[in-house]
Amino acid sequence: MTDLTTKYLGLVLKNPIIVGSCGLTGSAKTVRELAEAQVGAVVLKSLYEEQIEAELKHNMNEYQTDYPDAYDYIKQYTRDSAVSEYLEMIGEVKKSTDIPVIASLNCVSSAEWTAFAKRIEKAGADALEINISLLPSDPRKSCHDYEKIYFDVLDKVTDGLSIPVSLKMSSYSSSLANLVSRLCWTGKVNGFVLFNRYYRPDIDINRMELTSAGVFSDPVEISTPLRWIALLSGMVDCDLAGSTGVHDSEGAIKMLLAGASAVQVVSALYKGGARHATEIIAGIRTWMEKNSFSSLDEFRGRLSYKLGDDQSAFERIQFMKHYAGIS
Ligand SMILES: Cc1cc2nc3c(=O)[nH]c(=O)nc-3n(C[C@H](O)[C@H](O)[C@H](O)COP(=O)(O)O)c2cc1C
């Protein structure tokens, strides 16, 4: 028997394939299809801080001048309705599937998330993924200022929360190993998702305009999360989920060999549909059988920085060796 079960954030997943947060996990119907495709878990589409703020501003513009007395009421109502829709979706998803459901908050500040997180837990989410979307582009802010946001959000969101929490990290962090270790030591986070993939700008040279680069990832993008999963697994006492650039079973197996507890997939499922998740899972099973592995623990982390034979593969020295013969 080939056992694909894995533990992630204290949850038992029947296999390591998690559908990452995106439009495909934005309704009970689509999540049901993904569950039927046998995925291990889903991260629901995020509730965005800006979404709530935008709704708020819209409503406030309409009501602020005409009905000043209604200001506080509308403000509260708008927040509640954005959150209520999200909570209803969690309830529906939980009713119609039996796979672990991870809710997602996309924050850029630490304001007001404590109450929302508790309501998400009450609605039945099995865990909460927090996506702190930071681009450290302000020259007046130090890395300490940016890192503090992670700790502040974590403090707020986990205050009184019982479900496990993961942080979806940005790769734009100055001392990632140090930051992840210190976040882990707070004891408030159970896992890290490496990494979030941001909107990517491009430039159209004919129209001389800023445009958007592809929304979907390319398989070559796996190398950045793969490096960091390999470096951090065995170093931090938290689960790691590989995310960005996993398009097939080979990519998923690489993440597991690097030390991931689970693997998130998004772009590949937009392209190949829910059925592609089934294929990825089947591909992992076939590879395990071929290599006589009966469980993920038999090979997980085998090529991580800690357990691998060639630690220099993750370090600068290897660049020198690699490029030495190229003139
Ligand atoms: C259409 C689309 C919608 C997304 N929506 C969210 C979201 O709501 N919250 C979030 O944290 N990430 C979101 N993401 C990012 C994905 O969860 C994931 O981190 C990213 O696509 C990289 O994984 P991939 O290479 O498997 O696509 C979205 C991605 C796509 C393509």
Side-chain angles (χ1 to χ4, degrees), residues 21-22 45-46 48 131 168 197 215 217 243-245 266-267 270:
S21 180
C22 65
K45 186 167 172 51
S46 297
Y48 280 79
N131 181 346
K168 190 173 189 181
R197 184 177 187 271
V215 174
S217 70
S243 167
T244 299
V266 170
S267 295
Y270 271 97

Side-chain angles (χ1 to χ4, degrees), residues 167-189:
L167 281 176
K168 190 173 189 181
M169 302 296 292
S170 161
S171 57
Y172 302 116
S173 301
S174 48
S175 306
L176 195 67
N178 175 274
L179 174 62
V180 167
S181 300
R182 284 187 293 122
L183 285 164
C184 191
W185 294 335
T186 63
K188 294 176 180 172
V189 60

Side-chain angles (χ1 to χ4, degrees), residues 221-234:
E221 293 177 38
I222 196 175
S223 62
T224 301
L226 195 63
R227 173 197 294 270
W228 284 101
I229 295 277
L231 283 168
L232 295 178
S233 64

Side-chain angles (χ1 to χ4, degrees), residues 69-89:
D69 292 347
Y71 189 89
D72 285 340
Y73 171 73
I74 299 297
K75 193 170 161 186
Q76 189 57 43
Y77 172 79
T78 309
R79 274 177 200 200
D80 279 353
S81 56
V83 175
S84 298
E85 271 176 33
Y86 197 74
L87 300 178
E88 272 168 34
M89 179 179 66

